[in-house]
Amino acid sequence: MKESILPSGADSHIALPTVSVCIGCFNQEAFIDTAIRSVAAQTYTAFECVVVDDFSTDGSHRRIEECLSQLGDSRFRFLPRQQNGGQLATMMTGLDATAGPLISFLDGDDAWHPDFIECHATAHLSHTRIAAMSSSDQVLIDAAGNLLAGGHPVFHLNDPRSMPKMSGYLHVDTEADPTLLFVDRGTVGWFWSTTSGMMFRRAPLEIMRPSDPDEIRMCAEGYMARAAHMIGGTVRIERVLGSYRLHGGNSWADGRVLGGGVDLGRMSPDTERAIRRALANRWCEVAPGLEHLIFRHSMRRTLVDLIGLSAAFALLEKNSDAGFLLEDWATPRRKLQTKLIGLLPPKLRPRRFRDRV
């Protein structure tokens, strides 16, 4: 860590935060050892790590026990689940089993570079700004660990600096090493990498934790990243700090790198809608308790941007919690305008009028 973060002197009353790490595993026997050892090799040593196995049916359980026994590191614990719940349920198990103010979730088939925790913790402790989550770039590797690409396409394709009308929402710390890009919570879009490239402040996740994580069995970062960003924004770390593995059995990625303009994978419409519905319902539920911290009109805009105008009217009718944010907003004039624009073909509607749930 940079020495300037902490005051000099051995008697300082300030200490670096403990970082919690949750390694999630489901049938990743071939890769879990590499993931665990990449955490053990971190230059930032103030961490705790829980390895959560989501009721694997291969030899993952035995492999995890063997690896942890060989490491003999008291910072690591093994927590096998008694039934399979999916990626988000596994992450919530890790959240509940740890206590650090910062937490990262590493997929069992990915790995971190040795300075992953150090760089992410430094970003969260920046003197420039504060964010609810951080995200860094990743290289792509194959099942054997061979390098396929020097950066993650999603992280670069959706660089917010290239998005229109974003200048007022971005703040660059060029003095930081690596460079930090702070993205305000009022922005819309995907400008992160994947689960294994993220670190979160615990408090936003505890506020936004879903009531039923079993509903989101894959692409859980689609919920977690948006949930944290909705509350406190993002800091992007413009450096590669880990590896995303393509091995043919990925739940999201296709397993092949085909070139520019071709996605590695694509979230199914049903999964995307389930994530946005869960976020909208949770946001309506917690909004009254956040009003003293975030203006109500700002929370309302976040909700409408998340699901779309027509969906917001529908949400108001079926969710009593939505009234706090939407009742004054849902005027007859706005409702009529939304209905008329809804008669247009979807591609001709302005973005804010397109439903996303």
Side-chain angles (χ1 to χ4, degrees):
M1 298 291 291
K2 295 182 179 180
E3 295 180 357
S4 60
I5 292 179
L6 293 177
S8 60
D11 296 329
S12 173
H13 64 285
I14 302 175
L16 291 173
T18 297
V19 174
S20 297
V21 178
C22 170
I23 303 177
C25 177
F26 176 67
N27 289 349
Q28 292 160 333
E29 176 185 9
F31 314 117
I32 189 63
D33 188 276
T34 299
I36 293 172
R37 293 184 185 277
S38 76
V39 177
Q42 292 296 300
T43 57
Y44 188 102
T45 58
F47 70 82
E48 60 170 340
C49 179
V50 57
V51 185
V52 182
D53 181 67
D54 192 24
F55 206 67
S56 292
T57 57
D58 63 357
S60 294
H61 190 290
R62 173 186 53 81
R63 192 67 176 268
I64 293 168
E65 289 184 325
E66 290 176 352
C67 182
L68 295 186
S69 176
Q70 292 169 6
L71 285 177
D73 192 329
S74 61
R75 295 174 297 180
F76 288 79
R77 290 175 288 142
F78 181 31
L79 186 58
R81 286 175 52 87
Q82 300 307 305
Q83 61 182 18
N84 180 263
Q87 187 184 18
L88 188 54
T90 298
M91 295 166 79
M92 292 298 98
T93 298
L95 183 71
D96 291 337
T98 56
L102 300 173
I103 183 168
S104 280
F105 303 92
L106 175 62
D107 287 336
D109 51 356
D110 296 335
W112 286 343
H113 292 186
D115 56 347
F116 177 91
I117 295 181
E118 180 175 343
C119 285
H120 277 263
T122 300
H124 280 281
L125 300 177
S126 169
H127 70 280
T128 304
R129 287 180 177 271
I130 300 175
M133 66 164 296
S134 55
S135 182
S136 57
D137 199 1
Q138 301 165 295
V139 297
L140 303 182
I141 60 175
D142 65 13
N146 298 306
L147 187 64
L148 299 175
H152 200 293
V154 172
F155 190 78
H156 293 278
L157 176 65
N158 298 316
D159 188 332
R161 290 170 294 187
S162 64
M163 297 178 182
K165 300 180 181 180
M166 287 286 287
S167 59
Y169 295 96
L170 306 180
H171 311 275
V172 184
D173 183 354
T174 56
E175 296 182 2
D177 182 23
T179 298
L180 303 179
L181 177 64
F182 289 86
V183 187
D184 288 353
R185 59 170 299 275
T187 57
V188 178
W190 183 273
F191 26 77
W192 308 288
S193 52
T194 71
T195 302
S196 300
M198 301 174 179
M199 181 178 286
F200 301 87
R201 291 186 179 271
R202 178 177 295 269
L205 297 188
E206 291 179 337
I207 291 173
M208 289 295 291
R209 64 179 302 151
S211 57
D212 188 4
D214 290 359
E215 292 183 350
I216 304 171
R217 299 186 59 83
M218 60 178 291
C219 299
E221 68 266 44
Y223 183 94
M224 299 286 271
R226 289 187 178 107
H229 181 76
M230 287 164 67
I231 290 183
T234 296
V235 54
R236 276 173 53 111
I237 303 171
E238 304 298 324
R239 178 186 291 175
V240 168
L241 294 173
S243 304
Y244 180 84
R245 192 186 302 272
L246 294 169
H247 51 80
N250 304 83
S251 59
W252 167 74
D254 176 83
R256 300 172 295 178
V257 180
L258 301 180
V262 183
D263 295 335
L264 291 179
R266 186 168 293 174
M267 188 185 303
S268 73
D270 287 344
T271 299
E272 176 72 19
R273 285 191 289 267
I275 288 172
R276 290 181 184 269
R277 280 196 301 268
L279 281 167
N281 288 328
R282 184 60 178 167
W283 191 240
C284 290
E285 184 179 353
V286 303
L290 295 175
E291 189 181 18
H292 66 297
L293 303 173
I294 306 173
F295 289 117
R296 187 186 303 196
H297 68 81
S298 179
M299 289 190 284
R300 177 189 301 130
R301 184 183 62 197
T302 296
L303 175 62
V304 175
D305 284 343
L306 176 68
I307 62 176
L309 283 170
S310 297
F313 281 105
L315 182 67
L316 180 60
E317 293 179 359
K318 62 185 179 183
N319 185 339
S320 59
D321 291 329
F324 177 78
L325 294 179
L326 299 176
E327 189 169 9
D328 295 341
W329 166 88
T331 61
R333 179 179 178 181
R334 179 173 279 120
K335 189 171 184 178
L336 177 60
Q337 179 189 33
T338 302
K339 184 176 182 179
L340 291 175
I341 293 178
L343 299 176
L344 295 173
K347 291 185 178 180
L348 297 181
R349 300 171 195 167
R351 184 186 182 282
R352 66 182 185 280
F353 288 91
R354 299 175 191 174
D355 288 342
R356 291 175 280 280
V357 295

